[in-house]
Amino acid sequence: MAWAIALGAPQAAPSGPATPHRLSDPTGSLSQYKLDLWQTEQGLPLNTVQALLQTRDGQLWVGTSGGLARFDGARFTGVTAEQAPMLASGPVFGLLEDEQRQLWIGHAQGAVLWRQGRFEQVIAPELTEGRRVWGFAQGPDGAVWMASESGLLRWQAGKVRRYQQADGLPTNKLRALAFDAAGVLWIATSGGGLVSFENGKFLAMNPENGRFPHAQVRSVIADAQGGIWAATAGAGLVHLQQGRIARIYTMADGLPTDHLTALARDGRGALWIGTWGAGLSRMGPDGRFSSLGAAEGLAGNQIWALALDREGSVWVGNWVGGLNRLRNRAFVVFGAAEGLSHDNVRAVLHGRDGVTWVSTAGGGLNRIEGEQLSVLGKKDGLPTEEISALAEDRDGSLWIGTYTAGLAHRLPSGRIETYGTAEGLPGAEIRSLLQDRQGQLWVGTRAGLARFNGKGFEPVNDPVVPAEGVLTMLEDRSGTLWFGTAGQGLLSFKGGRFSLLKKADGLLSNWIMALHEDADGVLWIGTNGEGLNRLRDGKLASIRTTEGLWDSLAQTILEDRAGNLWMSCNRGFYRVARAELNAVADGTQARLSSVGFGPGDALRGTTFAGGLQGAGAVAPDGRLWLPSANGLVIVDPRHLPGGGRPPEVRVDNVQVGGASQPADAEVQLPPGAVPLAIRYTVATLLYADRVRFRYQMEGLSQDWVDMGSLREVAFPALPHGQYRFRVSATTDGVQWSEASPLVISVAARFYQTAWFVIAAIVAGALGLMGLMRLRVRSLQARQHEMELLVAQRTDELREANEHLSRLSYADALTGLANRRRFDEALHEEWRRARRSQQPLALLIADIDCFKAYNDLLGHPEGDRCLKAVAGVFTHAVGRAGDLAARYGGEEFVILVPGADHEAALAVAEGLRLACEALGIAHPASPVGPVVTLSLGVSSCVPGAESSVESLLAQADAALYRAKQAGRNRVC
């Protein structure tokens, strides 16, 4: 079915059918792209972006007027002055990745080559006379050509040749280069027009010789058909075929301006055009132009650079506005920008005749048939344009609910009849409509339930029926009618009798938002923020966010062809496998996997329609139509963002003691407490927000550690030995990609080496033999004495054991060290650190809002929570000398000898994330849905001016700041 939507401005009541583009094409209109922006606040070196390039490892290199950086979708990594002074803060104009995966960078005085993790100056200022290098192109023979302001440069195997006006160039000021399919080099110049270079000869095309319309050419690219496209600074877009101008495109053809700056071609054959003063334009394969400027959200109308990445996104470098990205929306969005009468869509109905009806709050009723869209409003007989619920009558007519004016009935002839409170409706606000199998029309209003008698409506007056709003209705396969109410529970009607289910009967909430009967005849009940209920064989079961639901609100429930249930909420929509829901409801599975889609998936908004019938529908082709406050969102369950193979993950950078080193070789650490930080990234820019990471440090632990979206892990002090660091990434939680393991070795101190241990064992054995000989010689003489001594020592040992039993160092509940053990260890480590002048770190942690947790869930649940959190602290102490203890109540402490403040902060952040990852539900927490930690950190090198008490006071003060700043954080 060829569903379609109109291009152009929104229309309240069009005079005739609109001419649409197809809904199946998510990039058919520029409005279908999501516009993102990065500026200096997000890590961009400077907001003037002059060069863009995605390299084969998936990274985006960004050249600005204030330095070079690379972007992995989550963070910018700038070039430092130690790496390349010219690129750290100077302007970058051109970028090229050659066949050897080396990066060429043009700057204000020459060119630099990035290879094997290092920058090398390949074009010195002497070769360019200190002028700019603007662009690059690699020829069929592997030679790299450069466009500079001092002529054309050719580099091959370390040898450079320069071509200038004396060699036939019309000017030395060059801007861009491109090779066509025949191997001819095309040169854009500043003042000399367009130039071709073939067989060692230059051919100039410019206004002086009448071969080209403008002398200023800003960009040039080749197409697959052997042609060349040139962007001019005043004469528009020029297309050449076989060395001659085939056509010139100007404002008369649809360009927003004739002053063009940059060109790029996407995989669909569209040509993207940067302009100076009119934003971004796109010429489709049909030759039509569409444009996007600052008025539509672009950061600026002066465009410096364009780049297309391998995931279909368009990157736009602005003069002063920063970096924009136009990315494909994961889902088709159909709103006012695409021709719908209003963005606030409330309900959808796919009619039996192939017509789709879309109600809006403020824009009337939209009718979509084939490739035509029209709108019904007050002029067509509707009592208002505030439309709510929809229902199709068995005779093909349409019942239309409104928010303010009752009910309208559109007859097959097109005539519209209206019904209000005067015709028997309990209220004028219609929320749900249903015609049952007997042909009876039921109407749910905010003021109660009514039935149609053929002429008007009769309110349902029954003691069981609540006098409140009815939000959703359903007739199941047995003929039972179900009515979801606004706060009064779930009403059913069978055999002429009403009955009511409420929270006391097992419902999670009395406010019912959605109903769905699945293929097995099971009734699913969506509530207003409390989770899902399942009604099967007369028994209710519950599924909440604590069992894995992405959200507790279900405003509509739809089922796709793969057996998944889809629910919408106020932060997006989510999907759950029906089999997993049943497993959790049956108690055979503790948690389920629920995938949510929200702001990171390029939605225009996350507030979806709810509280009325038709807040979602499944089309005949299997796609889901979800009304929202920002238009219709159309979801194809077979093609979801982040699906397919997970993105490639790799270790990006390793820092040993704060110094960077290559990540492609074995990492060797010296003996002692040397901090190690490992950064990793993935080869996706489009789904960077959805990527989740986990790591495993073989040799330290066999467990995988969930890092969420964090792209760095730190180890303050690894014990000596051999390790393998493994990291993997996923976008859906099911399929994972894994990087090549990173081998790490930590050297041992001399007394930790094998030869030292062997020598110590031998020396000990010899000493023991000598002692045994002496012992044998004196054994008889001292036998009586030893018997008395053994008896005495036995009594002393018994007394000592009894004493130790009374003074147990273990906390009975958590198994951690108790306060007494902590106090002793703190003073011992303080003295040791003072002698060695090594840092000593102390972490104090407090479970956020634990009293509220205890008060709400009871002390048994509180004890279980304390044990679970204690487990996190037990796993965190892996070195000799580290100590985790229960400090009192819900407070815990960790001593970390040898860790400075930065390392201690990293340990604390790991504890906070690990506690949050436990996912222990905390219904009473104002911080979040799960149990979280606030942590205070202090570290010092003990000296004459410090004390144990000051270390404790500093950590306690930091904990107080963490709580004051909102909890669930480290200070």
Side-chain angles (χ1 to χ4, degrees):
M1 189 174 295
W3 296 111
I5 60 180
L7 288 170
Q11 43 198 341
S15 57
T19 302
H21 75 267
R22 300 186 183 280
L23 285 178
S24 59
D25 179 10
T27 58
S29 167
L30 287 182
S31 65
Q32 286 297 306
Y33 285 90
K34 173 68 169 61
L35 198 59
D36 301 311
L37 174 65
W38 290 269
Q39 295 181 319
T40 53
E41 292 81 0
Q42 289 77 42
L44 194 66
L46 211 62
N47 286 340
T48 299
V49 178
Q50 302 172 150
L52 294 167
L53 175 72
Q54 185 186 33
T55 48
R56 276 169 276 185
D57 61 2
Q59 302 278 295
L60 181 75
W61 290 82
V62 184
T64 77
S65 62
L68 178 67
R70 56 191 173 97
F71 183 54
D72 65 357
R75 66 189 173 203
F76 290 91
T77 302
V79 175
T80 65
E82 292 76 14
Q83 293 175 306
M86 291 296 298
L87 305 180
S89 58
V92 173
F93 299 98
L95 298 167
L96 168 76
E97 185 181 26
D98 64 21
E99 294 172 352
Q100 290 73 42
R101 303 185 73 151
Q102 302 173 131
L103 182 66
W104 294 78
I105 305 142
H107 58 79
Q109 296 184 25
V112 170
L113 187 63
W114 163 264
R115 56 183 169 188
Q116 299 178 347
R118 293 180 175 83
F119 292 97
E120 302 174 20
Q121 179 87 310
V122 289
I123 303 297
E126 294 77 16
L127 287 171
T128 63
E129 301 172 4
R131 307 299 295 274
R132 303 170 180 171
V133 173
W134 279 96
F136 301 89
Q138 188 168 22
D141 60 353
V144 175
W145 297 76
M146 289 160 261
S148 79
E149 291 183 345
S150 64
L152 179 67
L153 302 172
R154 181 183 184 274
W155 182 98
Q156 190 169 32
K159 296 180 179 180
V160 181
R161 178 177 177 182
R162 183 169 64 174
Y163 299 85
Q164 293 187 307
Q165 287 179 272
D167 303 293
L169 280 171
T171 177
N172 289 335
K173 295 182 178 180
L174 312 183
R175 285 294 291 263
L177 303 172
F179 280 95
D180 66 16
V184 177
L185 177 64
W186 292 87
I187 307 163
T189 76
S190 295
L194 184 66
V195 179
S196 66
F197 182 68
E198 185 179 15
N199 298 325
K201 294 182 180 181
F202 293 98
L203 176 62
M205 304 171 65
N206 51 48
E208 291 183 7
N209 56 33
R211 294 180 176 178
F212 201 76
H214 208 280
Q216 302 288 338
V217 184
R218 294 291 182 251
S219 180
V220 59
I221 64 170
D223 61 29
Q225 291 72 39
I228 285 291
W229 296 84
T232 73
L237 177 67
V238 182
H239 185 206
L240 294 93
Q241 288 283 4
Q242 297 179 351
R244 297 182 179 180
I245 294 178
R247 183 170 177 182
I248 300 174
Y249 298 85
T250 65
M251 293 178 66
D253 301 294
L255 276 173
T257 178
D258 291 334
H259 194 153
L260 313 182
T261 56
L263 298 173
R265 183 174 291 279
D266 66 22
R268 293 169 171 260
L271 185 67
W272 294 83
I273 306 157
T275 78
W276 195 257
L280 181 67
S281 187
R282 182 183 67 176
M283 186 176 76
D286 58 358
R288 294 184 178 182
F289 292 92
S290 53
S291 299
L292 190 74
E296 291 76 37
L298 206 63
N301 285 329
Q302 289 79 27
I303 308 302
W304 266 111
L306 293 176
L308 278 297
D309 69 25
R310 290 186 291 277
E311 294 172 298
S313 297
V314 183
W315 296 85
V316 184
N318 288 275
W319 180 33
V320 292
L323 177 64
N324 276 126
R325 174 178 64 182
L326 278 74
R327 56 171 160 153
N328 295 336
R329 293 189 184 276
F331 312 102
V332 176
V333 181
F334 180 13
E338 291 75 30
L340 206 63
S341 63
H342 201 283
D343 274 333
N344 193 356
V345 181
R346 307 309 299 163
V348 179
L349 173 67
H350 297 294
R352 293 187 295 271
D353 59 356
V355 174
T356 295
W357 299 91
V358 180
S359 72
T360 70
L365 182 63
N366 292 259
R367 182 181 187 275
I368 305 173
E369 182 175 14
E371 297 187 0
Q372 302 296 322
L373 182 148
S374 56
V375 180
L376 277 69
K378 293 181 70 174
K379 67 178 182 58
D380 302 293
L382 289 178
T384 178
E385 293 182 351
E386 300 282 342
I387 310 301
S388 56
L390 301 171
E392 186 178 23
D393 197 289
R394 57 172 58 181
D395 65 4
S397 61
L398 183 68
W399 292 93
I400 306 164
T402 76
Y403 280 103
T404 58
L407 186 65
H409 187 199
R410 185 180 185 271
L411 302 176
S413 64
R415 187 168 62 87
I416 294 177
E417 299 174 346
T418 59
Y419 300 87
T421 54
E423 286 73 33
L425 285 174
E429 184 177 346
I430 310 300
R431 287 305 185 104
S432 56
L433 296 165
L434 175 71
Q435 187 178 44
D436 62 25
R437 297 190 188 100
Q438 283 70 45
Q440 176 68 66
L441 179 69
W442 298 79
V443 181
T445 77
R446 289 289 291 181
L449 185 65
R451 287 182 279 208
F452 187 56
N453 61 15
K455 296 181 180 179
F457 289 87
E458 299 174 354
V460 177
N461 296 314
D462 188 286
V464 180
V465 178
E468 295 286 346
V470 175
L471 306 181
T472 182
M473 297 187 281
L474 178 144
E475 183 178 16
D476 66 21
R477 61 186 62 183
S478 71
T480 301
L481 294 174
W482 299 91
F483 306 89
T485 73
Q488 297 299 314
L490 180 61
L491 186 68
S492 63
F493 180 71
K494 187 172 185 179
R497 297 184 61 183
F498 287 97
S499 58
L500 190 63
L501 287 173
K502 305 192 78 171
K503 286 186 69 173
D505 303 300
L507 284 177
L508 286 171
S509 171
N510 287 332
W511 197 295
I512 309 301
M513 300 291 288
L515 298 170
H516 171 71
E517 185 182 25
D518 68 21
D520 297 328
V522 174
L523 183 66
W524 296 93
I525 305 159
T527 72
N528 189 23
E530 299 294 337
L532 280 175
N533 277 117
R534 184 192 71 178
L535 182 60
R536 187 175 71 182
D537 300 328
K539 297 181 179 179
L540 282 166
S542 303
I543 303 101
R544 305 173 179 84
T545 54
T546 52
E547 282 83 44
L549 275 184
W550 190 71
D551 199 272
S552 56
L553 174 62
Q555 299 183 135
T556 189
I557 305 175
L558 304 175
E559 187 168 359
D560 66 21
R561 294 172 180 175
N564 299 305
L565 296 189
W566 293 76
M567 282 73 71
S568 65
C569 59
N570 284 330
R571 64 187 186 105
F573 54 93
Y574 55 105
R575 179 196 68 186
V576 190
R578 182 159 53 88
E580 287 198 55
L581 285 168
N582 279 317
V584 171
D586 293 337
T588 60
Q589 184 173 314
R591 288 183 62 84
L592 51 81
S593 176
S594 178
V595 180
F597 304 92
D601 299 292
L603 298 174
R604 283 183 184 158
T606 58
T607 300
F608 283 78
L612 77 165
Q613 196 87 10
V618 181
D621 63 2
R623 289 191 292 171
L624 315 176
W625 291 50
L626 301 174
S628 81
N630 299 88
L632 268 171
V633 176
I634 302 174
V635 179
D636 188 343
R638 299 164 299 179
H639 302 96
L640 299 173
R645 296 178 59 186
E648 178 186 346
V649 60
R650 61 183 176 83
V651 176
D652 185 48
N653 180 260
V654 176
Q655 289 191 335
V656 178
S660 295
Q661 66 179 61
D664 55 357
E666 179 179 347
V667 177
Q668 296 183 343
L669 275 68
V674 179
L676 172 67
I678 303 173
R679 289 186 177 183
Y680 38 85
T681 187
V682 287
T684 179
L685 299 173
L686 184 60
Y687 300 124
D689 293 339
R690 296 188 65 84
V691 178
R692 296 294 179 267
F693 300 91
R694 65 184 182 185
Y695 79 86
Q696 180 189 61
M697 181 66 88
E698 293 182 0
L700 187 66
S701 172
Q702 293 302 312
D703 296 330
W704 284 92
V705 179
D706 185 4
M707 294 299 289
S709 61
L710 294 179
R711 300 188 176 211
E712 181 175 345
V713 61
F715 301 93
L718 286 173
H720 77 277
Q722 296 290 322
Y723 303 91
R724 283 183 8 128
F725 177 80
R726 301 170 58 195
V727 61
S728 59
T730 183
T731 55
D732 59 7
V734 178
Q735 299 185 79
W736 294 80
S737 67
E738 185 173 335
S740 299
L742 180 68
V743 178
I744 302 167
S745 62
V746 182
R749 297 184 186 274
F750 76 93
Y751 54 80
Q752 296 171 321
T753 58
W755 65 265
F756 182 86
V757 174
I758 293 171
I761 292 173
V762 171
L766 292 174
L768 181 62
M769 289 176 63
L771 291 173
M772 288 179 65
R773 288 181 179 180
L774 291 174
R775 182 71 170 169
V776 169
R777 291 173 183 174
S778 62
L779 184 60
Q780 291 181 344
R782 297 187 56 192
Q783 181 176 358
H784 181 67
E785 179 184 351
M786 287 301 300
E787 288 176 349
L788 294 175
L789 184 60
V790 167
Q792 179 183 353
R793 292 291 185 267
T794 300
D795 290 339
E796 292 175 353
L797 181 61
R798 184 180 66 254
E799 292 174 359
N801 286 335
E802 292 173 354
H803 184 65
L804 288 173
S805 297
R806 291 192 299 269
L807 299 177
S808 173
Y809 281 159
D811 178 70
L813 176 63
T814 64
L816 297 175
N818 60 14
R819 176 68 176 272
R820 178 184 180 88
R821 177 69 189 105
F822 166 72
D823 289 340
E824 291 184 2
L826 176 59
H827 285 83
E828 290 170 3
E829 293 299 334
W830 180 270
R831 291 190 294 270
R832 184 179 292 111
R834 183 166 183 174
R835 288 194 303 271
S836 63
Q837 282 300 288
Q838 293 291 318
L840 175 64
L842 173 63
L843 286 65
I844 301 181
D846 184 79
I847 300 177
D848 295 328
C849 307
F850 186 74
K851 183 179 184 302
Y853 184 99
N854 251 348
D855 293 344
L856 180 63
L857 300 180
H859 289 285
E861 283 298 324
D863 289 348
R864 279 190 282 273
C865 176
L866 288 171
K867 291 178 182 178
V869 174
V872 171
F873 284 78
T874 301
H875 284 90
V877 289
R879 302 182 309 142
D882 291 354
L883 177 71
R886 185 180 179 191
Y887 198 58
E890 65 270 25
E891 285 191 332
F892 299 85
V893 291
I894 287 187
L895 274 176
V896 190
D900 59 17
H901 194 264
E902 182 178 356
L905 286 172
V907 173
E909 182 63 15
L911 285 168
R912 186 190 69 78
L913 291 172
C915 178
E916 193 169 28
L918 291 176
I920 303 172
H922 193 334
S925 174
V927 180
V930 298
V931 169
T932 57
L933 286 178
S934 297
L935 299 101
V937 176
S938 63
S939 177
C940 71
V941 176
E945 298 180 3
S946 58
S947 66
V948 169
E949 290 75 18
S950 65
L951 183 67
L952 278 167
Q954 291 168 9
D956 192 63
L959 174 60
Y960 178 79
R961 292 194 301 272
K963 291 181 179 180
Q964 290 295 106
R967 303 180 186 271
N968 190 21
R969 65 192 65 231
V970 175
C971 286

